[in-house]
Amino acid sequence: MTGVWALLGALAVAGAIGVLLKVREGRISRRDDSSTADLPAPVRELLAPGVTLVQLSTTFCAPCRHAKVVLRDLADRTEGLTHAELDITNLPDVAARLGVMRTPTTLALTADGTEVLRVGGVPKRDALLAALRPHLVPPSGG
């Protein structure tokens, strides 16, 4: 009977972990206070005018491919927004310096390297666009 209780306990713990991971998927964290001094060179090289969505991926990451589709489409449809992908499979020092614990992780960086937000997992398009709007320069009317 003890084995049954141990099994039920393990299933409950696994279920709770699954729910926690599902809730955190695509969550946006605001980072307006980040320092640009510690931005690794491979990331700095990707920056473009406006806001750059730097997607940190690894070679065998299936969710990374889905995130790439979402981010590329969003950047293609939004003025002042660029998407760039960096494979960090062989760059563990970059991941460590950025505090990346999972892939995909997306950093929204201004042209000067200021991190304005980050997303762990596959981003939700509408929520990401809403969070980015204050950082995007509106098109100049003529």
Side-chain angles (χ1 to χ4, degrees):
M1 189 64 171
T2 303
V4 171
W5 286 113
L7 177 62
L8 289 175
L11 288 173
V13 169
I17 291 171
V19 168
L20 178 64
L21 290 175
K22 184 69 173 168
V23 167
R24 294 187 54 146
E25 180 72 17
R27 183 183 217 183
I28 298 171
S29 304
R30 301 208 191 293
R31 302 282 206 159
D32 291 318
D33 60 344
S34 69
S35 168
T36 59
D38 289 336
L39 202 58
V43 176
R44 270 196 318 270
E45 293 167 2
L46 299 173
L47 298 180
V51 175
T52 304
L53 297 174
V54 177
Q55 177 186 341
L56 304 169
S57 302
T58 50
T59 303
F60 299 106
C61 169
C64 294
R65 290 187 285 278
H66 186 219
K68 182 177 183 176
V69 170
V70 171
L71 296 170
R72 184 171 285 163
D73 179 63
L74 183 61
D76 288 347
R77 296 172 185 254
T78 308
E79 188 171 340
L81 190 61
T82 305
H83 171 254
E85 186 175 15
L86 180 63
D87 185 337
I88 59 171
T89 302
N90 297 315
L91 301 171
D93 55 319
V94 171
R97 283 181 57 192
L98 294 172
V100 173
M101 302 301 287
R102 66 184 277 198
T103 57
T105 292
T106 303
L107 310 176
L109 301 166
T110 60
D112 68 356
T114 301
E115 181 179 337
V116 294
L117 60 88
R118 75 171 50 197
V119 181
V122 178
K124 295 171 180 69
R125 185 186 191 286
D126 294 336
L128 180 57
L129 184 57
L132 287 170
R133 284 213 193 277
H135 305 285
L136 297 173
V137 177
S140 57

